[in-house]
Amino acid sequence: IALHQPKYESESHLNSAGGLYIDDDSNPSLINNEFRGNYAQSWGGGIFNESSDFTISGGLFSNNLAQYGGAIATMNTQKTTFQNIKAFGNEASGSSNSQGGFLYLGNGANENNFLNCIFSGNKSSFRNGVLSASGATRFVHCTFYGNSAVGSGAISILFSGDSMEIHNSILWNNSDVNEYEISVNTGNVSINHSLLNLDKTPWLTSSSNNLNADPMFTDPEGNDGVVGTLDDDLMIAISSPAVDAGNGDLADLPTNDILGQSRDLSPDLGA
């Protein structure tokens, strides 16, 4: 099943799935959907998914709110794939244990892939400003800016059995209570051919060909001066150190960027 271009806006539910519920008998692909301003008291402000294989291609998640997974939460979902997604200003809050400003991965998650995604201004009142991870997670050509957590993990915190790979990406100005971007309890994290402040992710298992310099975004807080709103412009300037700094030999390199422009063998970093 493919759901093309519907919009879910300002919907709410007192339990889970503020915008859309996907049960365990379904196996949908969501294409160019928009979820704006949806709310669930418990799981998944925009979407609560229980299918085993979940794919979203294109679309926008903005200003969604829930206790677990401000925009999306899953349960018993083994594989998730997100490509060409914009996630702006989603929030996990409502309890002292709220997690996953954008996404909360529940039981069963073991393979999670993100390609050409932008995460700006997502936040959590406890842990995991962007992603409450589970299993193996891989980011390729993604951009993280201005995400935050009151507790640990502005982007994510990893525990036993968790691993994270990040390639050809930009991580900038994300902060938790300790000013860290990615926190590690007992998991593993590898970042390569990316731009970030390495002092903000001190537990790297492996790291190579990374840059630590201002990425020179066009206007990351937009005209309103607020991170995580739709006027944020996270394109990089021509003089950015992220230009031509990526690894063009990745097996799963997206051939186009989030704007549909083709990549060459020296791709720019980020989405």
Side-chain angles (χ1 to χ4, degrees):
I1 297 174
L3 300 178
H4 290 264
Q5 297 184 328
K7 181 183 291 187
Y8 303 82
E9 187 167 3
S10 301
E11 301 184 26
S12 64
H13 198 285
L14 292 179
N15 189 4
S16 299
L20 176 66
Y21 170 63
I22 301 169
D23 65 25
D24 57 3
D25 291 324
S26 303
N27 189 25
S29 294
L30 275 65
I31 301 172
N32 294 327
N33 295 253
E34 291 189 9
F35 291 80
R36 302 190 189 202
N38 300 290
Y39 166 77
Q41 184 170 314
S42 186
W43 293 61
I47 301 172
F48 180 49
N49 175 76
E50 294 189 290
S51 68
S52 61
D53 192 337
F54 182 45
T55 298
I56 302 181
S57 179
L60 170 70
F61 292 83
S62 173
N63 198 34
N64 299 286
L65 174 65
Q67 181 177 347
Y68 298 101
I72 304 170
T74 71
M75 179 60 69
N76 301 319
T77 304
Q78 298 173 20
K79 181 179 180 181
T80 59
T81 303
F82 299 88
Q83 185 162 4
N84 298 332
I85 300 299
K86 296 179 180 179
F88 291 81
N90 302 287
E91 181 177 355
S93 66
S95 82
S96 60
N97 194 43
S98 295
Q99 302 187 50
F102 170 64
L103 172 64
Y104 183 93
L105 293 170
N107 294 340
N110 57 42
E111 182 181 349
N112 315 293
N113 296 289
F114 298 82
L115 308 170
N116 286 350
C117 295
I118 298 175
F119 305 96
S120 174
N122 301 283
K123 59 186 177 181
S124 172
S125 63
F126 182 44
R127 291 174 172 165
N128 301 303
V130 174
L131 164 70
S132 181
S134 180
T137 301
R138 180 178 172 87
F139 293 96
V140 177
H141 279 291
C142 291
T143 299
F144 302 85
Y145 180 83
N147 303 285
S148 63
V150 174
S152 297
I155 294 172
S156 191
I157 180 171
L158 306 183
F159 291 94
S160 179
D162 298 335
S163 65
M164 183 174 290
E165 293 182 30
I166 300 178
H167 301 272
N168 290 5
S169 296
I170 299 174
L171 298 74
W172 203 253
N173 198 34
N174 308 283
S175 292
D176 68 4
V177 64
N178 297 307
E179 299 297 318
Y180 295 144
E181 296 190 308
I182 299 172
S183 296
V184 177
N185 185 297
T186 51
N188 298 306
V189 58
S190 170
I191 303 179
N192 302 288
H193 288 92
S194 295
L195 187 154
L196 72 160
N197 183 344
L198 291 171
D199 292 338
K200 302 188 74 168
T201 302
W203 301 278
L204 289 175
T205 307
S206 66
S207 170
S208 65
N209 298 291
N210 293 312
L211 302 172
N212 183 355
D214 186 338
M216 300 176 63
F217 292 124
T218 301
D219 191 0
E221 299 180 9
N223 291 331
D224 62 8
V226 178
V227 176
T229 54
L230 297 181
D231 65 352
D232 296 356
D233 188 346
L234 293 163
M235 293 182 63
I236 55 174
I238 295 175
S239 55
S240 167
V243 171
D244 295 340
N247 176 10
D249 294 326
L250 289 174
D252 53 353
L253 181 76
T255 56
N256 296 321
D257 66 18
I258 195 169
L259 298 177
Q261 299 172 342
S262 62
R263 289 193 169 101
D264 56 26
L265 293 180
S266 298
D268 298 346
L269 303 181

